[in-house]
Amino acid sequence: LSGLYTLSSCLAHEYHFGNMNKTWTEAQRYCREKYTDLATIDNMEDMKKLINTVVDIGYNGTVWIGLKKGEWQWSLADRDYSQGYVNWEENEPNNSGGKEDCVFMRRSGKWNDAPCNIQQLFICYGIKNSKES
Ligand code: 2F8
Ligand code: CA
């Protein structure tokens, strides 16, 4: 399995639309089982690719991506948030109500922090797990 993860970070990665309402943690579990992880965004090229994944489907809502607090951290453990690409909406993250530890993306591609227990669609990242059909 570790070979699978190594490969996925070397090869061109793909984004996959998760067309089910899930909390952030449920979405993470699903993406880790079926692919590699919840969506990681390394640069502007990734960001455009991810936006296109949603726009191509014609979905106008928001989607979970693989970014969460304590300190902001990508779900994919080898990514360093503090050194990486960000695309926060203006005035975000604002931790509204003191409970916004997870991040979703709007159709514009901009990010907002929101409560992790909201159920919404999501984007997975990586290669498809060959054990799944
Ligand atoms: O105005 C931005 C603000 O909008 C909503 O709160 C009213 C968002 N909440 C949810 O999406 C649950 C905030 O996260 C956002 O900062
Ligand atoms: Ca917010």
Side-chain angles (χ1 to χ4, degrees), residues 8-92:
S8 73
S9 57
C10 294
L11 298 174
H13 40 262
E14 301 292 335
Y15 292 109
H16 305 270
F17 191 66
N19 194 17
M20 289 148 279
N21 281 305
K22 292 186 184 293
T23 67
W24 190 94
T25 303
E26 289 166 354
Q28 181 192 51
R29 186 181 310 128
Y30 178 93
C31 291
R32 286 181 169 178
E33 282 173 6
K34 289 257 185 202
Y35 300 100
T36 302
D37 215 318
L38 261 176
T40 279
I41 301 148
D42 288 332
N43 49 48
M44 200 176 299
E45 197 181 321
D46 280 358
M47 194 65 253
K48 287 179 187 163
K49 206 162 155 182
L50 200 165
I51 292 167
N52 284 338
T53 303
V54 176
V55 168
D56 286 352
I57 286 163
Y59 182 62
N60 289 315
T62 58
V63 286
W64 288 128
I65 60 170
L67 188 58
K68 191 179 196 273
K69 288 198 290 218
E71 290 295 295
W72 289 115
Q73 198 177 323
W74 290 103
S75 181
L76 204 57
D78 66 353
R79 299 306 203 274
D80 184 354
Y81 172 80
S82 66
Q83 301 294 319
Y85 173 85
V86 296
N87 197 34
W88 293 109
E89 199 159 19
E90 201 176 355
N91 301 321
E92 305 292 352

